Amino acid sequence: MNRETEQHRINDVIREIDYKKNKLYSKATELKESIIGLRKNFWEDVTVNLDEPDDVIETQASLKQQAELLSERERFHGKVGEELKTLNKLKDSPYFGRIDFIENPGNEEEQIYIGIASLMDHNEENFLIYDWRAPISSLYYDYSPGKAQYETMQGTITGEMTLKRQFIIRHGLIEGMFDTGVTIGDQLLQQALGNNASTAMKSIVATIQKEQNKIIRNERSSLLIVQGVAGSGKTSAVLQRIAYLMYRFREKLTANNLLLFSPNPLFSSYISNVLPELGETNINQTTLLDFLKKGIENDIRIESPFEQIEYTLTKMDSKDYAVRLKNIDFKSRLDFKHMLDEYISRLKYGGIRFKNLTFRKQILISKEQIRDYFYSLDQEIAIPNRMELVSKWLLKEIYKQQKAEKKKDWVTEKIELLDKEDYMKAYYKSQKEDEDDPDREEKFLRSEVVNKYFSPIKRRVKQLEFVHILATYRELFTKGEFEEKPEDWKEISVHTEANLSHKFLTWEDAAPYSYFKDRLLGNHTNQSVRHLFIDEVQDYSAFQFAYIKYIFPYTRMTILGDVNQGIYTYATTANPLIPEELEKNQERITLTKSYRSTKQIVEFTKYFAPGKELIEPFEREGEKPKLITLSNKADIAETLSANVKELLDKGYETIAIICKTLQESTMIYHLLQHKISVKQINEQTYSFEKGLLVLPVYLAKGIEFDAVIIPNASKQHYALESDRTLFYTACSRAMHMLVMMTEDEPCTFIEQAARETFELL
């Protein structure tokens, strides 16, 4: 079939799309009018009669029926709207692939066209387009022409693929078309990646590689671990995995059953358009920091992971620096979790701290009374279950106190301050009480006043706020005695206790504190999450990951990372994130090919990549990375401005000046803000925009830019071995152009690269 014939088919498909759109528009208009009519005449169509009990039941049934009818119409109208959006996307680019397949034994050859959604013909009998997630579409990703097979609910279908063809279609016209038998997507990727980075990651459904397809369609593993080099398509694959799972299990899974942990809010904005492009709604996204904040008391300040790394990179002269590193290292280990578990076991028999329950500056129930009641309960009962029993006991005791308070003078004073509306409410409600009681109105008002003032106390009791979690956690460091503890335990304890006394949790203490709180009060996490996805998992400590496993014990997980980009180096020293014995039903997939950067950038960066993993460059040519030596520090602003203008002239739309720290990025921003249009990115930045951006490397995780400038690549600035991951991460963000600048001798990592892999200016 030649190009002209393929274009004719596209024209026919577009006519079918227009026909279906017109039908849907008519349906949508009718539905809209029907909904407006239902809303307008809602009460006219409801039988309202409240005279007899049977009439009340009939009225309720009539109301429910009318409300359900309206709700169903509105839901259907929303579904029609979604279908129209999908058809509009298909009209622009109906499909991206075609395979011809002969199913065994010797059936007729079938032409299968693959796009972002399925489309049936006029009579709803045959598929004009198959959804990329349909079982038959896996042929396109997994096989070259020749023998091929795919899995269905009924079993394995075998046969022969006689043709694999790829299309680039824009605005209904073929811009590119080729038959291929080689690695899927290479030619397409050359064109897709040759374009500039957009402000939101593009869907690359058409270019899924075979190993990425294993990630996307994996339904077996309870823990899927993906190690992928920078630019290997990890994030793209996991987002397509989410879209696939929502399509495959659409009767059972909704967006609320899936949760994605992203590295920072900027990354969440960066990927926000991907799932809608793939035909699905966005799922819930959060960062580990935001997730932990929800469970920790509001009056406790939590250090962010970015504040932690900024501290480790800039506060070397601080007197507490050495002990802080020891604190980070120990509390990132599972050893600390074992210590906490031991401490919690002891708390079954004594040591939990409680708070007084006070009312009008008087102690209602003392912390000692609460403690004595808690420890009078059977020690075999789990701590969280005992807490619930204490809560019920406290509510009964409070009710007794509440009754006693009704007769007191302060209640009379409060009644006198009530407004007219409260009196009217009391009058009408009290009419239902004992008619022979002349004081019934006053009794009602007293009850209302006392109940209002006791409500906050009862709410706190129900939320178990009578337990002093912080004080109990703090005693681990002031009174805790353990046989197995680190050499520096005394130093760590003094350091931690000082922070806790100021109601401050360092980042390394946040997950342990949350775990400790959950073990005492019970785990109240949303159990509806059935699939959890974690990106940049190499930046999680072993304790943090163990805590996530504790919170989501029955949830399937897909975790993605790159050991080369583990910038929180102190967090996982000699401490594997996922011990081999942690998960029986786990699968590991490794992606070694980098599609993001040009061949020249990958060839340069692979010399100093921290891990031992193989990195294969993608065959996309570009300029060699440039190393500019400044004659003096004063030249930096002019040199940066000149290089940015040059990159803009080349058509690059997203240019990042990537610094080692926030401190450095603030200094660069102030140097440039009056010379050129520039935006500084910090951890509060929630939207990704085109243009010139200046940011610290730890906020660039997971994001790619047309061009990257590293303003200080000197040996003095990137001096430690632990800086290797930072420098590698910064360099590997670049798609087309990498520029490094130094006033002094270049850093060791540049010197490790072969001299012919970069250009010296």
Side-chain angles (χ1 to χ4, degrees):
M1 191 184 284
N2 59 28
R3 189 173 180 133
E4 190 179 335
T5 314
E6 289 284 18
Q7 185 61 58
H8 277 308
R9 185 185 191 277
I10 290 168
N11 298 341
D12 290 341
V13 168
I14 288 172
R15 276 192 287 275
E16 186 61 43
I17 290 168
D18 284 334
Y19 167 75
K20 288 185 184 290
K21 276 176 66 179
N22 289 333
K23 272 182 75 175
L24 279 174
Y25 275 128
S26 302
K27 195 183 286 184
T29 306
E30 286 172 24
L31 275 168
K32 192 174 180 182
E33 287 170 1
S34 168
I35 289 164
I36 291 166
L38 270 171
R39 284 178 180 163
K40 193 185 281 184
N41 304 317
F42 187 91
W43 292 105
E44 290 174 22
D45 298 333
V46 173
T47 308
V48 178
N49 191 342
L50 305 175
D51 295 339
E52 299 292 332
D54 287 350
D55 296 332
V56 171
I57 292 167
E58 189 183 332
T59 298
Q60 286 175 337
S62 180
L63 270 169
K64 188 182 177 192
Q65 186 181 10
Q66 192 72 354
E68 283 176 354
L69 180 63
L70 180 59
S71 177
E72 187 186 343
R73 296 274 170 88
E74 287 175 335
R75 204 161 45 244
F76 194 48
H77 186 265
K79 197 176 173 189
V80 168
E82 290 301 315
E83 285 179 34
L84 280 167
K85 276 186 202 171
T86 302
L87 287 172
N88 282 326
K89 285 178 189 169
L90 286 176
K91 187 172 179 180
D92 181 66
S93 181
Y95 40 80
F96 49 76
R98 167 188 164 184
I99 51 173
D100 293 358
F101 185 66
I102 304 170
E103 187 182 320
N104 289 335
N107 290 348
E108 283 185 28
E109 186 174 74
E110 186 183 357
Q111 293 175 359
I112 297 153
Y113 288 84
I114 299 163
I116 64 154
S118 295
L119 183 75
M120 304 285 281
D121 64 11
H122 221 57
N123 303 317
E124 301 292 322
E125 290 176 356
N126 300 306
F127 280 96
L128 297 174
I129 306 169
Y130 283 89
D131 191 293
W132 66 276
R133 296 161 289 193
I136 198 168
S137 302
S138 65
L139 291 168
Y140 174 80
Y141 301 113
D142 283 342
Y143 293 96
S144 298
K147 291 191 183 305
Q149 63 183 50
Y150 65 97
E151 302 297 325
T152 69
M153 299 292 280
Q154 289 73 41
T156 304
I157 307 295
T158 60
E160 185 180 357
M161 185 195 298
T162 56
L163 176 82
K164 181 188 287 187
R165 177 168 290 167
Q166 294 186 229
F167 302 95
I168 302 165
I169 302 169
R170 300 286 181 270
H171 310 301
L173 297 171
I174 297 175
E175 290 186 1
M177 173 182 120
F178 54 88
D179 295 348
T180 178
V182 295
T183 308
I184 302 159
D186 278 8
Q187 293 178 51
L188 211 69
L189 271 167
Q190 283 180 327
Q191 177 158 334
L193 295 174
N195 296 330
N196 294 330
S198 63
T199 57
M201 183 189 284
K202 291 284 187 185
S203 159
I204 57 163
V205 175
T207 60
I208 302 167
Q209 303 299 295
K210 188 171 181 178
E211 63 270 27
Q212 289 170 324
N213 201 35
K214 282 184 197 169
I215 299 165
I216 293 163
R217 292 172 190 263
N218 182 298
E219 295 175 20
R220 303 179 304 278
S221 310
S222 55
L223 178 62
L224 181 61
I225 305 161
V226 181
Q227 157 60 36
V229 300
S232 57
K234 297 183 295 295
T235 304
S236 176
V238 81
L239 290 165
Q240 288 166 91
R241 172 166 172 70
I242 291 166
Y244 170 75
L245 290 170
M246 288 176 75
Y247 172 86
R248 171 76 175 80
F249 301 103
R250 53 193 176 280
E251 303 302 323
K252 301 174 188 173
L253 278 183
T254 68
N256 291 327
N257 300 136
L258 298 98
L259 177 64
L260 171 66
F261 276 102
S262 57
N264 54 58
L266 184 65
F267 178 84
S268 299
S269 162
Y270 181 64
I271 63 171
S272 61
N273 287 342
V274 178
L275 286 171
E277 272 193 22
L278 299 176
E280 293 296 348
T281 53
N282 269 321
I283 65 166
N284 293 324
Q285 289 185 54
T286 188
T287 61
L288 182 58
L289 175 62
D290 287 339
F291 182 79
L292 292 174
K293 273 182 178 176
K294 285 179 184 173
I296 291 173
E297 299 91 309
N298 291 332
D299 61 342
I300 297 176
R301 190 177 94 72
I302 310 169
E303 179 187 49
S304 76
F306 312 115
E307 286 175 304
Q308 186 203 65
I309 194 170
E310 190 73 16
Y311 178 92
T312 60
L313 294 174
T314 61
K315 302 293 183 188
M316 290 83 153
D317 297 332
S318 166
K319 65 180 177 63
D320 293 331
Y321 189 77
V323 69
R324 179 70 201 275
L325 294 194
K326 291 170 187 173
N327 195 55
I328 292 171
D329 185 55
F330 179 63
K331 289 180 181 167
S332 300
R333 295 168 177 266
L334 293 181
D335 295 348
F336 184 48
K337 183 174 177 291
H338 301 325
M339 182 183 276
L340 270 179
D341 289 336
E342 186 185 332
Y343 180 55
I344 291 161
S345 290
R346 291 184 204 161
L347 292 174
K348 289 178 187 175
Y349 312 107
I352 297 177
R353 298 281 297 275
F354 295 93
K355 297 176 185 175
N356 292 326
L357 286 182
T358 59
F359 181 72
R360 293 177 56 79
K361 298 182 182 177
Q362 298 291 317
I363 293 175
L364 278 181
I365 305 167
S366 72
K367 56 190 176 186
E368 291 81 12
Q369 286 174 285
I370 300 172
R371 179 199 63 207
D372 292 346
Y373 185 82
F374 178 87
Y375 284 111
S376 73
L377 296 168
D378 185 348
Q379 292 177 348
E380 294 303 309
I381 301 172
I383 292 176
N385 294 343
R386 279 197 263 173
M387 292 298 180
E388 288 297 333
L389 293 172
V390 173
S391 175
K392 287 175 183 172
W393 169 72
L394 285 171
L395 289 171
K396 284 178 187 172
E397 293 298 308
I398 289 166
Y399 181 68
K400 290 177 196 171
Q401 299 272 9
Q402 193 173 325
K403 279 182 80 175
E405 289 291 322
K406 282 183 191 176
K407 298 167 186 173
K408 295 190 178 175
D409 292 344
W410 72 267
V411 181
T412 310
E413 290 169 20
K414 295 294 178 186
I415 288 172
E416 287 168 2
L417 296 172
L418 292 174
D419 57 28
K420 187 181 174 184
E421 193 179 320
D422 290 316
Y423 279 110
M424 292 299 292
K425 183 180 168 187
Y427 172 76
Y428 286 119
K429 286 203 173 182
S430 64
Q431 299 310 301
K432 297 173 186 175
E433 305 297 326
D434 183 3
E435 291 181 14
D436 296 329
D437 184 358
D439 300 324
R440 66 183 188 274
E441 191 177 322
E442 186 189 346
K443 284 179 181 175
F444 178 81
L445 283 169
R446 284 184 173 277
S447 291
E448 287 285 289
V449 166
V450 173
N451 194 44
K452 178 185 174 184
Y453 281 88
F454 269 84
S455 283
I457 303 170
K458 289 188 278 190
R459 186 175 63 250
R460 288 198 295 275
V461 167
K462 286 174 186 173
Q463 292 170 350
L464 309 182
E465 289 178 21
F466 55 86
V467 190
H468 205 323
I469 301 292
L470 186 65
T472 314
Y473 184 73
R474 193 171 161 185
E475 286 199 349
L476 167 70
F477 304 98
T478 56
K479 296 180 181 176
E481 287 298 327
F482 302 94
E483 283 185 25
E484 291 189 25
K485 56 190 176 187
E487 293 174 20
D488 314 297
W489 177 241
K490 192 169 182 183
E491 274 184 284
I492 289 170
S493 295
V494 170
H495 176 79
T496 307
E497 204 276 327
N499 285 324
L500 296 177
S501 68
H502 292 100
K503 293 191 173 183
F504 173 66
L505 284 175
T506 59
W507 178 237
E508 62 271 20
D509 262 302
Y513 182 82
S514 295
Y515 173 71
F516 181 74
K517 185 175 181 180
D518 285 345
R519 287 290 310 274
L520 293 193
L521 303 187
N523 177 2
H524 302 293
T525 308
N526 182 349
Q527 297 297 320
S528 65
V529 175
R530 292 171 56 194
H531 283 271
L532 181 69
F533 307 88
I534 306 176
D535 207 352
E536 304 292 348
V537 76
Q538 74 280 352
D539 292 334
Y540 286 62
S541 73
F543 195 122
Q544 288 167 346
F545 187 70
Y547 174 63
I548 289 169
K549 287 288 293 175
Y550 168 75
I551 289 289
F552 300 103
Y554 309 112
T555 303
R556 289 175 179 264
M557 292 191 191
T558 304
I559 64 172
L560 312 113
D562 178 13
V563 292
N564 294 317
Q565 298 177 65
I567 59 173
Y568 295 85
T569 31
Y570 305 104
T572 52
T573 309
N575 190 29
L577 181 72
I578 305 161
E580 290 292 335
E581 70 277 6
L582 184 71
E583 185 66 55
K584 296 289 181 281
N585 185 21
Q586 64 171 258
E587 186 170 343
R588 295 175 186 247
I589 295 174
T590 303
L591 304 175
T592 57
K593 197 162 191 175
S594 177
Y595 299 105
R596 174 188 296 142
S597 306
T598 60
K599 183 180 177 183
Q600 284 73 15
I601 292 171
V602 175
E603 291 289 2
F604 167 68
T605 56
K606 73 178 186 182
Y607 280 98
F608 51 85
K612 300 289 183 277
E613 281 72 17
L614 172 72
I615 303 173
E616 301 174 72
F618 179 62
E619 295 298 322
R620 183 166 64 84
E621 298 294 330
E623 295 181 56
K624 287 181 182 179
K626 293 179 169 56
L627 176 63
I628 299 170
T629 304
L630 302 167
S631 52
N632 61 68
K633 209 165 191 174
D635 290 346
I636 188 167
E638 293 303 325
T639 309
L640 276 170
S641 300
N643 273 273
V644 167
K645 283 171 182 165
E646 190 181 322
L647 293 166
L648 288 169
D649 289 343
K650 287 181 178 177
Y652 297 141
E653 294 177 341
T654 56
I655 301 165
I657 299 174
I658 300 184
C659 305
K660 185 178 174 183
T661 64
L662 182 65
Q663 200 176 71
E664 183 193 355
S665 70
T666 302
M667 184 267 289
I668 295 291
Y669 173 73
H670 289 313
L671 277 178
L672 294 179
Q673 63 178 333
H674 300 301
K675 292 179 178 291
I676 196 163
S677 177
V678 59
K679 181 179 180 184
Q680 186 181 15
I681 302 293
N682 58 38
E683 63 176 295
Q684 274 78 47
T685 305
Y686 284 81
S687 62
F688 184 81
E689 298 169 9
K690 288 181 181 177
L692 175 63
L693 310 172
V694 57
L695 69 165
V697 62
Y698 49 81
L699 291 180
K701 301 295 291 288
I703 304 175
E704 57 194 25
F705 306 93
D706 294 330
V708 166
I709 301 173
I710 298 175
N712 185 353
S714 68
K715 185 171 275 187
Q716 186 183 1
H717 199 48
Y718 290 93
L720 304 172
E721 178 56 30
S722 56
D723 292 333
R724 182 184 294 273
T725 50
L726 294 167
F727 191 71
Y728 173 79
T729 301
C731 292
S732 61
R733 302 304 93 203
M735 289 174 68
H736 307 293
M737 193 69 232
L738 173 62
V739 178
M740 299 163 288
M741 295 164 55
T742 179
E743 183 195 349
D744 307 307
E745 201 178 335
C747 67
T748 311
F749 314 124
I750 295 174
E751 291 175 346
Q752 287 170 3
R755 178 61 194 81
E756 66 272 12
T757 60
F758 63 95
E759 193 180 336
L760 197 56
L761 297 177

